[in-house]
Each structure stands twice: as structure tokens, then as C-alpha cells.
Amino acid sequence: MDVVPTDPSADNEPQPAVGSRRAFLAGAGAAAVAGLATACSGSDVAQVAGAETAPTETANGELASLQPTASLTPVSFFGDHQGGVLLAPAPAGLVASFDVITADRAALVGAMEALSTEVERLMSNQAIEPVDEFLPPADSGVVDELTGTTGVSVTLAVGSSLFDDRFGLSDQRPRELVPMPRFFNDRLVRDELSGGDLSVTITAPDQQTAVFALHQIARVTGRQLRLRWVQEGYNQLLPERPGQVARTRNLLGFRDGTSNLDPADVDVMREFVWVQPGDDEPEWAVGGTYQAARIIRMLIEFWATAALVRQEQIFGRHRDTGAPLGQQAEGDQPTFVSNPNDDAIPRRAHMRLANPRTPGTGRILRRGFSYLNGADRDGTLDQGLLFLCYQRALSTGFLEVQTRLDGEPLEDYVKPIGGGIFFVLPGPAQGGWLGESLFA
Ligand code: HEM
């Protein structure tokens, strides 16, 4: 069974509002999840992915078809860190970037508070109070009351532009927070799909719920924030099989997520993901993490003309099994680890460049979604990867890895078109709001 952690400090699991039918159903699912977690894990593990139970008979006799699967796993809103960062790959999600359109610091603070209230409500699946029928409804109604927003996570991050001279934050900028540099393969990157003052990363059981969550956030912040760009995405979660490591395949056909940091390992998360006290960062940033987001178009039709052996050399892994070249199982170590002169995996293969496994190599926590944005006029599919990664420092994380990857053979088949670098705010204290320590 695949177990997914929450940080032990984030132990204030939000409870659904008492008395609502939707909240009751969510509570039943969460209780089942918690029970399974207790049964199969140590104290650090609070969430279970891939668990299934029989349908639940509810108090009013309805058969709830809600299953406590990975996609329905609740995640805490309050805690030292924003819990969404550690979640296993989700079936659906999006990244949305906003520009702040008010020049007033107090108005921006008001927007952050309103956003936090809404996000807490979404993440704990509290029912929306009905309004007078002669007023516009309080939500769009696109999410059915049986499922509500169970399993939604929202992660809020800030871009370097928020720390200009508009809001008196210029001396509070995380030290490494900069606009996304232009890399070797970035000539198709478009400004209108890049950057932004704030970003939200939403994960959800399905696309409709993810977009609903975005709509709710935009609804309460519409006077202060304006959407700059949105990229939706999805994952097909692979059924679990013995020896399988990665939960997803990307649209080039390869298993993705095989060699990744383990979010269940609290020490590893401290070392590589969360900003720590004593880091050369503003005090408010402790508990946060840097996020790099890249919208990377894949030239799928061109890739399909490359021989399988070539495709496998480009990544350094076998396509079907995910094993390192020359090995049998996905979890096997590549041979260059024990013998640096072994070239079974080409030296410019993606996996070898990304992680040469030399002492001191920086590591990142990778997440992502596949996307389809329609088709071009020439009839080619506009598909790709919404790449996300999290790290305690950009210089030893994304920037270091991307610099090593610059000029890699994979670049013939993939072209970044947008994204940005953001700093994921620390989690809010119980009863607090996202950004409270920044604006203190
Ligand atoms: C469309 C673009 C990309 C595709 C299709 C892709 C695909 C893959 C695949 C198939 C693997 C091997 C399986 C695994 O360990 O997950 C991998 C590994 C990895 N990728 Fe990417 N990747 C892309 C972009 C990036 C970017 C932009 C970065 C970071 C700057 C990155 C960093 C890594 C790292 C660190 C690993 C693990 C290497 C290891 O430890 O063996 N990838 N990627």
C-alpha cells in the first residue's frame, strides 16, 4: 500500500461543518481514511493513498459511493507547512497565476484573508450556506453536494514581483526568489503565460472540482486579484503492481516519478524541501518552500517518429518497465552509480544529467500534470507536461538541475512555453491566514 504523509506538525485535521449532509459524507470518508492509516502505519503517516472500502450506508439511508481513495484524501489547511505540497500525484489539478490589481496593502491583506477563509472551507469540505433565492447563489453549483470538495488541496505561493515597491515588502523577499531565468531551450516562452504576483496550485479528484475551487477563489478576490494565466492538467494514476514505483506515465509514454524524494520521510523533507530556521532567509519564510512551475509543450508527433531505442537513451530508462537501461526492475539502481565509467546509460540521458548521483547533488520534490490545450492550426496536438518541483533552495534545486539539463537531447522534443518561480507560503497557524507572517 502506498502511504503518503502529512507533516506531524500539521495535525489539526479540519472537521467538516456539523449538521450538513455533504459534511457528514465527507466525515465518513475521512474517518475511513484515518482508520486505514492507523492500521498500516506509524505515527508520521496520516493519509492513505489508493485505499478502498465498501460503499458506506449513510444515516439518512443514502448509499454513499464515496471511496476514500488517494483522490479523496483530506489534507490539513493549518500547520507549519501547506499540506498540498506533500500530496501524492493527483488525478486532476491546475496552476493559476494572479496579478495584484490593487495598490493598497490593506486591500491585499483583506484579499489574503478572504482567500484563506475560502481555501479552508474548500479543503475541509464545509457546506456553502444557501442564500436568499432572490440573490445570486453563493457558488456556481457545478459541484454536486454528494461529493462536495472532498480531496481538494490548494497551495498558495508568491512571485518575486510581489516584493517590488507597491506593498512595502521589498525587504522581505525570499533571498532566491527571482523571475524565471531564460534557459537554452526557452525561446518559445511567452510572457502572458509566465510569472505573476501570486499563484495557486490546486489538486482535486476531478477537473470539474479543481476548476470549481479556482472559481471560488477568484470570486472572493476579484477586486484585488486578476487572473494572469491558468494551466489545467490531469494524471492517470496507475493501478499498483509489485515492483512498481512511479504512479504515473507522462505523455511521452515513460513512467514519471520513479526517482523522487519521499514525502513520507520527514528528515528528507526538512533537508531538501522546507526552509529551516537559520537558513539565510527572512524569518517569515521558515516552513515555506520554493516552487518552480514549467508549462512544457511536447512535440508528440515528432517524438513518435523516434525509434524506441532512441527514446529510451534520451531518458536513460526502459519505456515499459521504467527500469534503468540494462536493468530489469523500475527500482533498480543505474549501473553508473557503482561504476561511473559505465555508459549503459548515456552520459547525456535525462535521468543521468538530472541526478548524476555524485556527492552533494541537490534534490527536488517533483510533481506534475499532463495537459491538452487543443490543437494547432497545422493539426498538431498542443500537449505537454505541467512540471512542478519544490525545494528548500533554488540554487541547489531547480536552477542547479535545469542548468545541468540545458542542451540535453530531450530538448528536441519538448519546448517550455510558460510558468514561473514562486515561494510557497508557510502554513497558517490555527485560526490564522495564509501570508500572515509575511504581512505581520
Ligand atoms: C517535458 C519535460 C520532462 C519530461 C518528459 C521528463 C521526464 C522524466 C522521466 C521519464 C524521468 C525518469 C523517471 C523518474 O525518475 O521519474 C525523469 C526524471 C527526472 N527528471 Fe524529468 N522530465 C521533464 C522535465 C524535467 C525538468 C524541467 C526537470 C528539472 C529541472 C526534471 C528533473 C528530473 C529529475 C531530478 C529526475 C530524476 C532523475 C533521477 O533521480 O534519476 N525533469 N524525468
Side-chain angles (χ1 to χ4, degrees):
M1 182 177 291
D2 186 14
V3 285
V4 181
T6 42
D7 189 285
S9 59
D11 55 2
N12 302 315
E13 203 65 58
Q15 295 302 311
V18 179
S20 99
R21 175 163 150 270
R22 178 193 294 176
F24 177 84
L25 293 170
V33 170
L36 283 161
T38 315
C40 70
S41 69
S43 57
D44 282 350
V45 179
Q47 300 174 0
V48 173
E52 295 209 346
T53 62
T56 317
E57 190 80 26
T58 64
N60 60 5
E62 276 176 306
L63 194 63
S65 59
L66 293 180
Q67 307 274 337
T69 61
S71 53
L72 295 180
T73 306
V75 57
S76 296
F77 173 70
F78 299 111
D80 288 351
H81 317 296
Q82 292 192 62
V85 171
L86 297 184
L87 279 182
L94 58 83
V95 175
S97 156
F98 294 85
D99 288 327
V100 180
I101 51 172
T102 175
D104 180 25
R105 179 176 164 126
L108 175 57
V109 166
M112 303 286 273
E113 289 174 322
L115 183 149
S116 299
T117 304
E118 190 58 24
V119 169
E120 186 204 349
R121 204 184 56 68
L122 289 163
M123 287 174 62
S124 55
N125 192 21
Q126 291 167 36
I128 293 176
E129 294 305 322
V131 295
D132 186 318
E133 64 179 315
F134 294 105
L135 293 172
D139 75 350
S140 62
V142 301
V143 164
D144 192 272
E145 61 173 9
L146 260 179
T147 55
T149 54
T150 307
V152 166
S153 85
V154 180
T155 303
L156 180 68
V158 292
S160 60
S161 52
L162 193 72
F163 297 88
D164 58 16
D165 53 9
R166 283 173 294 169
F167 307 109
L169 295 174
S170 50
D171 58 348
Q172 295 298 322
R173 185 176 58 85
R175 197 173 53 91
E176 297 196 345
L177 189 59
V178 289
M180 178 69 77
R182 287 277 165 143
F183 294 99
F184 190 76
N185 193 30
D186 282 5
R187 60 194 173 280
L188 298 187
V189 168
R190 288 155 53 189
D191 276 351
E192 67 273 22
L193 293 177
S194 303
D197 293 328
L198 297 166
S199 79
V200 293
T201 303
I202 298 177
T203 66
D206 59 80
Q207 209 55 43
Q208 185 151 324
T209 309
V211 176
F212 172 80
L214 176 61
H215 192 192
Q216 288 304 112
I217 291 167
R219 195 183 259 260
V220 296
T221 56
R223 288 172 190 270
Q224 298 88 23
L225 308 181
R226 183 174 52 212
L227 272 170
R228 181 179 172 90
W229 55 266
V230 181
Q231 181 59 60
E232 286 187 83
Y234 61 89
N235 281 310
Q236 181 199 40
L237 301 186
L238 300 171
E240 291 185 46
R241 277 173 293 202
Q244 176 186 302
V245 185
R247 296 297 311 278
T248 60
R249 265 184 203 279
N250 61 44
L251 294 178
L252 297 183
F254 281 70
R255 292 198 189 170
D256 209 326
T258 304
S259 173
N260 206 353
L261 295 180
D262 177 4
D265 191 327
V266 175
D267 291 334
V268 166
M269 292 300 101
R270 279 202 196 103
E271 184 177 354
F272 292 111
V273 175
W274 306 123
V275 170
Q276 298 294 313
D279 285 0
D280 186 13
E281 294 287 8
E283 207 176 312
W284 70 265
V286 170
T289 180
Y290 288 94
Q291 179 194 53
R294 300 274 271 172
I295 309 171
I296 307 177
R297 168 105 186 238
M298 292 170 168
L299 309 182
I300 306 276
E301 294 82 357
F302 184 35
W303 179 253
T305 66
L308 180 60
V309 66
R310 171 81 182 131
Q311 295 184 355
E312 293 184 330
Q313 283 179 338
I314 284 175
F315 282 116
R317 290 187 178 272
H318 291 292
R319 187 184 75 165
D320 293 347
T321 60
L325 290 184
Q327 307 286 93
Q328 299 304 313
E330 190 182 358
D332 286 349
Q333 282 293 327
T335 42
F336 68 77
V337 176
S338 52
N339 176 11
N341 292 322
D342 187 307
D343 285 340
I345 296 178
R347 287 170 193 253
R348 296 177 70 228
H350 182 77
M351 70 100 89
R352 191 165 180 173
L353 285 175
N355 182 6
R357 293 162 172 81
T358 44
T361 300
R363 303 291 314 272
I364 56 181
L365 175 63
R366 283 182 295 135
R367 289 288 178 253
F369 295 96
S370 296
Y371 72 79
L372 169 64
N373 287 348
D376 278 355
R377 280 190 182 178
D378 65 0
T380 52
L381 281 167
D382 185 353
Q383 284 189 297
L385 174 71
L386 173 54
F387 172 92
L388 299 171
C389 71
Y390 299 93
Q391 52 266 291
R392 178 174 167 186
L394 282 171
S395 51
T396 52
F398 171 76
L399 294 179
E400 180 191 304
V401 180
Q402 183 57 58
T403 303
R404 273 200 304 270
L405 290 174
D406 258 10
E408 64 169 328
L410 178 64
E411 289 187 348
D412 285 348
Y413 303 93
V414 302
K415 304 287 170 207
I417 55 168
I421 290 179
F422 300 94
F423 187 82
V424 174
L425 299 169
Q430 187 67 39
W433 45 279
L434 287 163
E436 193 164 8
S437 56
L438 169 60
F439 286 94

